[in-house]
Amino acid sequence: MTSIPSKIAFAAANRALARNLSLLAVATLLALLFVWKGSEVFILRQVRAMTAASRRLAGGDLTARIGPVEGEDELSRLARAFDEMAAALENLHDHLQKVREEERTRIARELHDQFGQTLSVLKMDLAWLAKHLPGPNPSLQAKLDAMGAVIDATLQVLHRVCTELRPVILDDFGLAAAIQWQTEDFQGRTGIACSVILDTEADKLTQDESTALFRIFQETLTNTLRHAAATEVSVRLWEEENQLMLEIGDNGKGIANTEISSPTSLGLIGMRERVYGINGSIEFTGIQDKGTRVTVAAPLNGKTVSHA
C-alpha cells in the first residue's frame, strides 16, 4: 500500500483551518469594533453628558439637565434620576429664595415698626425731660444730649439694616432707582468713587427678576469692598437685544480664573444660582492689577439667555 505524505494529506484541512481562523479573526475584530462603538454611543456619551451636567450643577446652574434618555439600563435610569434630582433642587432653591425674601421683608418691617417706634418714643421722652429740668443743670443736660446722640446713631443703623434687608425703594421705584441709591450709599460709606450710567428704567422686569439682579449687584459691591482693594467702581444698566444688561467694574487687583471656577467661591455660586433662576446669564472677568468686571444678562419678553 502506497503511503501519502502527511503534508499532502492534511493540506486541504490546513487550508480550511487557516481560512476559518482568518474569518474568526475578522469576526472578532468586527465584534470588538461594534462593542467599542456601542460603548461610545450608549455608555461614554451618557457618562460625558452626566459629567457635564454635574459640573454645571456644581457651578450654580440649577437648570442643568442631561435631557431625554431612552432605554432601561442602569445608566439610563441613573441619568433620569439625575434630572429628577436637579429639577427638585431647582424647585427647592426657587422656594427658598422666595421664602428668604419674604422673611427679610417681614424682619425689616418688624424692626422698623417695633424698634424704630420705641427709639423714637425714647427720643421724645428725652426731649420732654430736657424741657422740664428744675433748673440749669449742665451735667444733666450733657447726659441727656449724649443719650439723644446714641438714639440718633441707633436709628441710623436700624434704617441701614432695614434697607439692606429689603430696600423699600426697590419695591416702590424699581431696579434702576435702587441701583442708583445703593451706589450712592456704597460710595458714602466706603469712600470708593462710583459712577453710574442708567440707560433704561428697567421697568419690564418682574419683582422676582428685579430682586435677583439687585441682590447680585449688592453681592458684587460687597466682594469689591472685601477683596478688590479698588478705588473706583463703574456701574451701567442698559437694554440690548431683548436683554437687560447690568455691568459692574472696578480698578482693583482683579479676580483670578481659579477663583471664578473654584467650588469654594460660594458668593459667586450664589450669584449664578440667582441669575440662572431667572433664565439669565452672568460672566466674571478679571485682569491682574487692572480690575474685575461682572456682566449680567436678564431676558426680556420671557426669553432665555444662553449661559456662559
Side-chain angles (χ1 to χ4, degrees):
M1 182 176 181
T2 303
S3 62
I4 302 175
S6 59
K7 184 176 181 179
I8 297 175
F10 293 105
N14 288 335
R15 287 194 298 272
L17 178 62
R19 183 175 64 253
N20 290 337
L21 288 175
S22 298
L23 291 174
L24 179 61
V26 171
T28 302
L29 179 60
L30 291 174
L32 290 174
L33 289 173
F34 178 79
V35 170
W36 175 79
K37 190 62 177 178
S39 65
E40 170 71 19
V41 173
F42 299 108
I43 298 178
L44 295 181
R45 185 176 298 174
Q46 291 189 26
V47 170
R48 292 193 188 105
M50 283 188 281
T51 301
S54 298
R55 288 174 176 168
R56 287 175 57 195
L57 195 65
D61 184 2
L62 299 182
T63 65
R65 301 289 187 275
I66 296 173
V69 177
E70 298 180 357
E72 294 299 328
D73 56 278
E74 292 298 327
L75 274 178
S76 298
R77 286 195 288 269
L78 180 61
R80 285 192 289 270
F82 177 93
D83 280 356
E84 291 171 1
M85 177 198 69
L89 282 175
E90 183 180 14
N91 292 333
L92 176 61
H93 174 266
D94 293 343
H95 175 70
L96 290 177
Q97 291 285 15
K98 184 177 181 179
V99 170
R100 182 185 303 173
E101 291 299 333
E102 290 175 350
E103 188 66 10
R104 283 181 169 181
T105 302
R106 186 189 68 80
I107 293 173
R109 186 179 298 115
E110 289 291 328
L111 287 174
H112 178 270
D113 293 345
Q114 299 298 325
F115 290 95
Q117 290 178 10
T118 300
L119 290 170
S120 297
V121 170
L122 285 175
K123 188 174 181 181
M124 288 187 292
D125 287 345
L126 286 177
W128 184 90
L129 286 173
K131 290 181 180 179
H132 291 78
L133 289 176
N137 191 329
S139 61
L140 184 56
Q141 183 64 52
K143 187 63 175 178
L144 291 175
D145 291 341
M147 292 174 66
V150 170
I151 292 176
D152 288 338
T154 305
L155 282 169
Q156 290 180 0
V157 172
L158 180 63
H159 176 71
R160 187 175 73 249
V161 170
C162 289
T163 52
E164 287 178 354
L165 282 170
R166 184 67 191 184
V168 177
I169 193 172
L170 178 63
D171 297 326
D172 294 344
F173 298 100
L175 179 63
I179 287 176
Q180 181 73 55
W181 163 81
Q182 184 71 78
T183 306
E184 292 174 356
D185 179 74
F186 178 79
Q187 179 174 271
R189 287 188 294 107
T190 65
I192 298 175
C194 298
S195 62
V196 184
I197 299 176
L198 302 174
D199 289 333
T200 176
E201 293 297 323
D203 55 0
K204 300 178 183 178
L205 298 178
T206 65
Q207 185 179 41
D208 289 343
E209 292 168 341
S210 294
T211 299
L213 288 181
F214 185 70
R215 294 304 184 195
I216 290 171
F217 178 65
Q218 285 184 311
E219 181 68 22
T220 302
L221 292 182
T222 299
N223 289 341
T224 299
L225 180 61
R226 289 178 179 174
H227 309 296
T231 59
E232 296 178 2
V233 169
S234 62
V235 181
R236 185 187 174 200
L237 185 71
W238 76 100
E239 290 184 27
E240 179 180 292
E241 297 179 354
N242 289 320
Q243 299 178 57
L244 184 70
M245 307 295 298
L246 172 62
E247 185 177 79
I248 310 103
D250 64 58
N251 65 342
K253 62 183 182 180
I255 189 171
N257 290 332
T258 53
E259 295 175 293
I260 295 174
S261 59
S262 173
T264 61
S265 298
L266 300 182
L268 302 189
I269 291 175
M271 293 163 72
R272 291 188 183 101
E273 289 176 351
R274 283 188 180 276
V275 76
Y276 293 158
I278 59 172
N279 296 320
S281 69
I282 188 167
E283 181 181 3
F284 305 93
T285 56
I287 301 176
Q288 186 175 2
D289 299 326
K290 291 188 177 181
T292 299
R293 191 165 302 278
V294 179
T295 306
V296 184
L300 298 173
N301 304 322
K303 298 183 180 295
T304 299
V305 178
S306 59
H307 296 169

